Amino acid sequence: MKKIKIKQALVLICISLFALSCSKSDDEVEVIAGVPTAYSAVNLTDSGFTANWTRVYRADKYLVDVSTTADFSTLIPSYNELAVNALTLDISGLNAGATYYYRVRAVRGALISVYSNVIATEIISTGPEPTTALKEAANFKVGMIVRSTALTGQTSDIILREFDNITSEYEMKMDKMYPSKGTYDFTAVDKIVKYATDNKLNLHGHALIWHNATPDWVKNFTGTDAEFEIMVKEYITTVVTRYKGKVKSWDVVNEAVDDGSGNPLRNSVFKQKMGDDYIKKCYQWARAADPDCKLFYNDYNFASSTTKRAAIFKIADALKVDNLIDGLGAQMHISYKGPAASEIQAVVDGTVSRKLLMHFSELDIQANPDNDLKVLTPERAILQKNKYKEVVKIFNSIPTANQYALTVWGMRDSESWLLDFWGHIDWPLMYNNDYSVKKAHTGFLEGLK
Ligand code: 9MR
């Protein structure tokens, strides 16, 4: 049994007009004016994979080259003249694990167009996805989010087998830990801390200050600005001190940068009451409460927006002057379509050049950002897998001294926050609902090679 996965993106071959020494009729010009664009199509039946391409107007057949090398020096001869613009390659003669390339030309009479772009595909086995434990394969900490109510059963089995770093999905936020004035509730956090300690998992604290998880009584604070600041100081000091030595790192401030023009500081209640300096103060209080704890600033669209990236680095630079920050969290809520590897790399490069730790803190990869699917198709699962692989590869190549952890934001697809957030179906994570691993998980493993 074999299946095909698309391995690589396209390499464009420049389009040039076909030149003939004799004069051409209009029909001939039309034929050669088009070049078939090959698509990275896959057909995951046992019979083979489908290569397809755009039709060229009035082409009467196509020449398809399939090769084991990108320079097409060794052609597999049997796939040559086709009347249709698709070809199902019989994979029985092809080797699992090998990469095959195809390219296409259009033909009309004696006229032959230039080659299409080149597509590489890889034949893989259709057996079960490999289940090597991520933390065993990785040289860095691999993280998963947890909920205090789901620290048993299969969820826990997978956490303990695959991961060595955990983050609380929502229970270590101000609205949960400090629901009403003067009254803390640490019930859930204590459970998570015990779970981490008992199982020797690194516990990343998330997140002390976040506009989206601020309790109403804080948003509508009744008191002076000075009293507000005292309250925030007392809250940070209480929480960080309580978990000193157990929570190894904290996102002190989360998502302080606004997405609007100029990426100003978000106009949160913290900024309103304490001024722009609120960030620095929060880090000072956290640092004072636990000097050994690694302090992070965490945000989204870090890769996809250059201006936001600059604004985040500006915050980091200001904190770094006073040694108040140890690392940056790039959330990595992304899709199979982007951001590009170069944009993700820019996040890493800026972080490493600042001598900070890098946390890819909330990785999930939408497979259905345009809501064009009702089920996760094999083709899309492969594209998603490729993106997981790309992200992991980038993280894996970070100098060890700058690697903090790569945390995935959820275990099973149905549990992802993205489904509620976008209001449509998606499959952004690495596990199916029955806890079996998806191709995304294989992509993670392949990114470590
Ligand atoms: O996934 C989290 C969801 O379950 C919570 O309801 C929500 C509010 O606490 O937070 C979600 O996680 C967010 C994270 O803390 C910060 N970055 C964006 C995440 C998705 O909203």
Side-chain angles (χ1 to χ4, degrees):
M1 291 261 291
K2 291 173 179 176
K3 283 185 184 175
I4 308 302
K5 69 166 183 170
I6 295 180
K7 188 185 177 191
Q8 298 176 359
L10 350 149
V11 177
L12 285 177
I13 291 182
C14 63
I15 298 170
S16 62
L17 287 178
F18 188 82
L20 281 182
S21 51
C22 56
S23 62
K24 301 169 193 157
S25 70
D26 287 349
D27 278 2
E28 289 167 340
V29 171
E30 279 177 299
V31 171
I32 61 169
V35 177
T37 306
Y39 288 105
S40 46
V42 285
N43 168 357
L44 298 175
T45 67
D46 289 344
S47 57
F49 76 87
T50 303
N52 61 15
W53 51 88
T54 53
R55 279 181 187 281
V56 171
Y57 184 55
R58 294 196 163 189
D60 47 33
K61 61 187 173 188
Y62 299 92
L63 301 178
V64 187
D65 293 341
V66 179
S67 174
T68 52
T69 55
D71 63 1
F72 290 89
S73 55
T74 50
L75 294 181
I76 295 171
S78 50
Y79 310 106
N80 239 334
E81 300 195 354
L82 291 156
V84 291
N85 65 323
L87 160 68
T88 297
L89 293 168
D90 171 9
I91 61 170
S92 56
L94 308 181
N95 298 322
T99 299
Y100 293 86
Y101 300 84
Y102 77 91
R103 63 182 182 184
V104 189
R105 287 172 292 170
V107 180
R108 179 175 173 77
L111 298 174
I112 304 175
S113 77
V114 298
Y115 286 110
S116 72
N117 48 319
V118 177
I119 299 292
T121 59
E122 183 190 347
I123 315 291
I124 58 166
S125 161
T126 57
E129 302 294 325
T131 52
T132 311
L134 301 176
K135 70 175 178 190
E136 304 304 337
N139 291 322
F140 50 79
K141 288 195 282 293
V142 187
M144 175 48 65
I145 50 173
V146 297
R147 304 170 180 176
S148 69
T149 49
L151 295 173
T152 55
Q154 276 177 285
T155 300
S156 177
D157 292 346
I158 290 180
I159 291 170
L160 299 182
R161 188 180 76 231
E162 301 252 63
F163 301 94
D164 45 15
N165 179 54
I166 56 170
T167 304
S168 162
E169 183 174 11
Y170 52 80
E171 289 156 312
M172 289 171 78
K173 294 172 183 167
M174 193 177 195
D175 58 345
K176 301 289 180 214
M177 293 191 292
Y178 203 7
S180 57
K181 193 169 186 174
T183 307
Y184 289 92
D185 182 355
F186 291 121
T187 323
V189 189
D190 286 351
K191 276 192 198 155
I192 292 172
V193 169
K194 181 172 182 332
Y195 181 77
T197 310
D198 288 352
N199 294 296
K200 299 186 170 49
L201 301 167
N202 189 76
L203 176 56
H204 174 69
H206 170 83
L208 292 168
I209 300 291
W210 181 30
H211 67 282
N212 245 351
T214 306
D216 285 345
W217 71 269
V218 173
K219 281 191 208 153
N220 309 316
F221 190 76
T222 50
T224 65
D225 290 356
E227 286 164 347
F228 183 90
E229 186 168 321
I230 290 168
M231 177 277 293
V232 176
K233 179 180 180 183
E234 183 263 354
Y235 154 73
I236 290 180
T237 307
T238 301
V239 175
V240 177
T241 305
R242 180 179 179 92
Y243 298 114
K244 188 174 174 171
K246 293 182 175 152
V247 172
K248 307 292 181 189
S249 49
W250 271 107
D251 289 330
V252 180
V253 176
N254 190 47
E255 301 177 10
V257 177
D258 195 279
D259 295 304
S261 172
N263 298 101
L265 277 189
R266 194 184 292 281
N267 194 22
S268 68
V269 67
F270 303 97
K271 174 176 145 72
Q272 288 166 20
K273 304 260 183 212
M274 293 166 60
D276 290 2
D277 230 18
Y278 86 89
I279 298 183
K280 183 175 176 183
K281 289 177 178 168
C282 291
Y283 282 80
Q284 281 171 330
W285 298 325
R287 188 64 105 207
D290 183 359
D292 295 329
C293 186
K294 303 286 183 208
L295 304 184
F296 281 78
Y297 174 79
N298 191 55
D299 216 327
Y300 61 90
N301 287 353
F302 201 162
S304 59
S305 164
T306 48
T307 55
K308 191 158 182 184
R309 186 151 74 235
I312 293 169
F313 284 142
K314 200 171 151 197
I315 290 177
D317 289 341
L319 291 169
K320 189 93 176 26
V321 170
D322 299 309
N323 188 30
L324 292 173
I325 188 167
D326 302 293
L328 283 167
Q331 293 190 3
M332 304 294 287
H333 297 297
I334 63 175
S335 96
Y336 77 96
K337 294 163 99 176
S342 58
E343 296 174 295
I344 300 169
Q345 190 63 50
V347 171
V348 167
D349 292 346
T351 303
V352 170
S353 69
R354 287 170 171 79
K355 299 189 169 50
L356 291 169
L357 294 167
M358 182 87 260
H359 188 191
F360 282 4
S361 53
E362 303 182 18
L363 177 64
D364 45 37
I365 301 183
Q366 288 178 71
N368 197 22
D370 303 321
N371 196 18
D372 58 336
L373 298 182
K374 295 281 174 265
V375 293
L376 178 60
T377 59
E379 291 88 348
R380 195 62 62 77
I382 288 171
L383 294 174
Q384 180 190 47
K385 173 195 164 178
N386 290 344
K387 201 69 185 170
Y388 264 94
K389 179 174 176 178
E390 178 182 286
V391 170
V392 172
K393 214 173 161 66
I394 292 171
F395 193 86
N396 196 38
S397 65
I398 297 174
T400 313
N402 301 92
Q403 279 173 332
Y404 187 63
L406 196 171
T407 296
V408 184
W409 204 251
M411 185 174 285
R412 296 183 291 172
D413 280 335
S414 60
E415 295 165 332
S416 171
W417 68 284
L418 286 160
L419 276 58
D420 283 343
F421 187 79
W422 293 112
H424 63 75
I425 187 78
D426 207 323
W427 310 270
L429 301 170
M430 298 193 299
Y431 301 84
N432 293 306
N433 294 337
D434 64 0
Y435 292 97
S436 59
V437 293
K438 295 166 56 190
K439 291 187 185 307
H441 185 276
T442 309
F444 195 117
L445 287 170
E446 288 180 3
L448 297 167
K449 286 181 188 154

